Amino acid sequence: MRNLINFLIKYNHWLLFVLLETVSFVLLFRFNNYQGSVYFTSANRLCGAIYDMTGQVTRYFGLADVNRDLTARNVELEIEVERLTEALEHYTQDTTGIARLRREALAEYTLHEARVVNNSITRPNNFITIDKGRADGIRPEMGVVCGNGVVGIVYLTGASHSIVLPVLNSRSNISCKIKRTDYFGILKWEGGSPQYAYVKDMPRHSEFSLGDTIVTSGHSAVFPAGIPIGTVDDMTDSHDGLSYLLKVRLFTDFARLNNVQIISSAKGTEQTALEDSARIALER
Amino acid sequence: MQHLTRIKWFVLLVILQALVLNHVHFGRFATPLLYIYFILKFNSDTNTKSLILWGFSLGICIDILSNTPGLNAAATVFTAFCRPKLLHVLSTRDPDDKFEPGIRIMGLAAFSRYALAVIFLHSAALNIIDAFSFVNFNILILKILSDALMTLVCVLCIDSVRRER
């Protein structure tokens, strides 16, 4: 016993070393499993305030490019809206119906504006911090988009800041489809360039061509259908050979993310609750 | 007074690392991990326990600011734990001698050797824990080496500037 105590006294820095390494790894794995503690991330109050200050300075640098992108996207959308409106008028011969349709499409969803205060793109698992939190009605599992396309999904919420799991995170899974032919797959990112992601599980009989647009499928409650993600850049066989793997060039430029919108849908919570209870029932 | 200087350096390095250096990627790879300079500069007679505790608090502060809870803390604790032995082996001075590691006292060659060993160890630990797999082995090695080299350059620059004061 005395030898043991002597041993512990002599090598107590070993004990401290093992203890602190354990604490670090517990933190590391807790955060990697879903929903860690907000206090150990930049969604806590103090860090949020620090990043607010730096964000206010740095967000001006990319403003010109953001503006140009938005203008281009705006023009694109205007043209599309014009074309669709004409088509609709042609088919229905009813002009008052269009305004009603537009109202109905957006009625289910509420958009919250937010600013990106911290962002990374080069790590294997990237995170984005935004300046809206629980107090502003943000909840985990809400979809996040920007002017050009999909950004990611809210992961953790603090009182006034939240952490977003962007597409550029190996744990992000977003249901998507090919806009032209409606075949759907799952959007994954596997590290490397922040401009490209992959669509997995695209069936072998699906029809697509290079340059096709990929949009959200609307199958999950997170995103409404039809939000642009990117264009098909390249295609290969998946590792098991059962499906195609599409390389997608993302519309969103994550390196210059400034303003984002968070989508909350009234229907979404109901759908999620239903899917969760179904899953729990199956596991029993 | 010495404590005050230490805390000043602590805050300075944490802020610098989290807000500026973490977003620097020379040639898409090399990120300077300058905060390890804090561990490098402890007196040679500092006991391992307090070194480990300082390392942990430094790592955890950077983690909290950069959304990687535990990552930098684990790597820094490991580095702090290894530092006394590395300093003992790599400095040519008497082991009982009390000194602050630096270019002025140790000489450029000895300090670079010691700094390179500590920095390399830190960079390796950090990147291996971060990647947590050896799938992209070449990229991992490249990242470890480029980070270490970049950090060494920064540490030598800062230390030589500090020396002249």
Side-chain angles (χ1 to χ4, degrees):
Chain A
M1 193 62 198
R2 170 170 295 181
N3 280 342
L4 180 68
I5 291 170
N6 280 338
F7 175 83
L8 289 183
I9 290 172
K10 192 176 173 198
Y11 289 103
N12 59 1
H13 64 275
W14 277 87
L15 278 180
L16 186 70
F17 170 66
V18 172
L19 177 79
L20 289 181
E21 284 290 353
T22 318
V23 171
S24 309
F25 277 99
V26 166
L27 284 176
L28 193 63
F29 290 119
R30 258 197 72 185
F31 187 67
N32 280 325
N33 294 326
Y34 204 59
Q35 307 289 356
S37 165
V38 175
Y39 299 103
F40 286 104
T41 66
S42 63
N44 77 41
R45 208 172 290 265
L46 180 67
C47 296
I50 293 175
Y51 278 121
D52 272 352
M53 284 192 290
T54 50
Q56 265 173 9
V57 176
T58 51
R59 79 193 163 110
Y60 286 104
F61 297 141
L63 228 50
D65 292 320
V66 171
N67 230 344
R68 199 194 52 217
D69 281 357
L70 280 181
T71 318
R73 179 85 191 131
N74 235 348
V75 170
E76 215 173 279
L77 288 176
E78 293 251 330
I79 293 169
E80 191 170 338
V81 165
E82 198 54 43
R83 203 171 54 79
L84 289 177
T85 317
E86 266 173 29
L88 199 64
E89 272 175 20
H90 175 72
Y91 285 120
T92 57
Q93 311 287 331
D94 173 17
T95 44
T96 54
I98 294 161
R100 190 165 45 84
L101 263 181
R102 193 177 294 158
R103 259 204 319 278
E104 278 172 3
L106 287 175
E108 285 172 17
Y109 297 98
T110 326
L111 288 181
H112 304 269
E113 286 281 333
R115 250 187 29 238
V116 171
V117 291
N118 184 29
N119 186 5
S120 69
I121 56 166
T122 49
R123 314 180 62 80
N125 286 311
N126 297 296
F127 291 96
I128 296 174
T129 314
I130 55 173
D131 69 342
K132 290 279 159 66
R134 269 197 305 277
D136 309 287
I138 310 297
R139 301 276 174 276
E141 298 277 294
M142 283 183 176
V144 182
V145 297
C146 73
N148 291 346
V150 165
V151 173
I153 295 169
V154 177
Y155 176 68
L156 275 180
T157 51
S160 58
H161 290 83
S162 308
I163 290 181
V164 177
L165 193 80
V167 176
L168 304 186
N169 188 308
S170 59
R171 277 177 282 138
S172 132
N173 266 323
I174 292 172
S175 176
C176 60
K177 67 180 181 187
I178 294 166
K179 191 178 181 184
R180 196 165 54 85
T181 56
D182 273 356
Y183 285 101
F184 68 89
I186 295 166
L187 188 75
K188 293 284 281 179
W189 187 69
E190 295 174 337
S193 167
Q195 288 184 321
Y196 294 95
Y198 292 88
V199 174
K200 285 186 160 180
D201 296 345
M202 187 56 69
R204 301 247 6 142
H205 60 273
S206 57
E207 295 162 22
F208 57 85
S209 51
L210 300 186
D212 271 359
T213 306
I214 305 282
V215 297
T216 52
S217 70
H219 289 173
S220 71
V222 178
F223 291 107
I227 296 180
I229 294 174
T231 53
V232 180
D233 197 64
D234 197 6
M235 57 154 285
T236 44
D237 290 337
S238 67
H239 302 302
D240 56 6
L242 294 175
S243 53
Y244 286 127
L245 187 67
L246 307 185
K247 190 178 181 188
V248 176
R249 193 189 168 86
L250 299 168
F251 286 135
T252 310
D253 186 352
F254 284 88
R256 287 194 317 221
L257 218 48
N258 259 319
N259 293 301
V260 294
Q261 286 88 38
I262 299 127
I263 305 175
S264 69
S265 75
K267 206 180 76 181
T269 44
E270 189 191 322
Q271 186 180 343
T272 316
L274 200 62
E275 281 169 0
D276 281 349
S277 56
R279 201 174 305 126
I280 290 164
L282 279 176
E283 277 168 7
R284 274 205 190 119
Chain B
M1 192 57 207
Q2 209 204 345
H3 286 290
L4 209 65
T5 324
R6 187 165 290 167
I7 288 168
K8 205 174 71 191
W9 269 96
F10 185 93
V11 173
L12 187 82
L13 284 173
V14 166
I15 295 282
L16 188 68
Q17 184 70 36
L19 298 186
V20 183
L21 297 181
N22 271 347
H23 303 282
V24 172
H25 308 283
F26 284 101
R28 294 192 51 217
F29 277 108
T31 305
L33 306 165
L34 188 63
Y35 65 96
I36 206 64
Y37 183 66
F38 187 71
I39 300 294
L40 280 172
K41 289 300 276 184
F42 271 88
N43 273 345
S44 60
D45 64 335
T46 317
N47 68 26
T48 317
K49 258 189 307 179
S50 62
L51 207 57
I52 290 177
L53 277 174
W54 273 111
F56 181 75
S57 22
L58 179 68
I60 205 80
C61 284
I62 289 170
D63 279 336
I64 288 172
L65 278 161
S66 51
N67 286 335
T68 51
L71 174 66
N72 286 295
T76 319
V77 166
F78 177 67
T79 316
F81 176 71
C82 297
R83 193 209 84 145
K85 290 198 179 50
L86 286 175
L87 182 62
H88 180 72
V89 172
L90 291 173
S91 82
T92 46
R93 299 172 73 94
D94 185 12
D96 297 327
D97 208 0
K98 180 186 166 187
F99 63 97
E100 189 194 74
I103 296 176
R104 190 163 55 102
I105 294 172
M106 294 170 72
L108 183 64
F111 181 71
S112 312
R113 205 164 50 205
Y114 153 72
L116 181 65
V118 174
I119 288 167
F120 177 76
L121 208 63
H122 180 69
S123 166
L126 186 75
N127 283 303
I128 288 172
I129 298 170
D130 195 11
F132 223 81
S133 79
F134 291 104
V135 179
N136 295 322
F137 192 71
N138 294 337
I139 291 181
L140 184 66
I141 293 290
L142 194 64
K143 180 96 177 101
I144 291 174
L145 291 179
S146 59
D147 278 7
L149 212 66
M150 200 67 228
T151 313
L152 182 68
V153 169
C154 288
V155 163
L156 290 181
C157 285
I158 281 214
D159 205 63
S160 53
V161 168
R162 246 185 121 189
R163 181 181 56 160
E164 277 159 19
R165 257 198 327 205

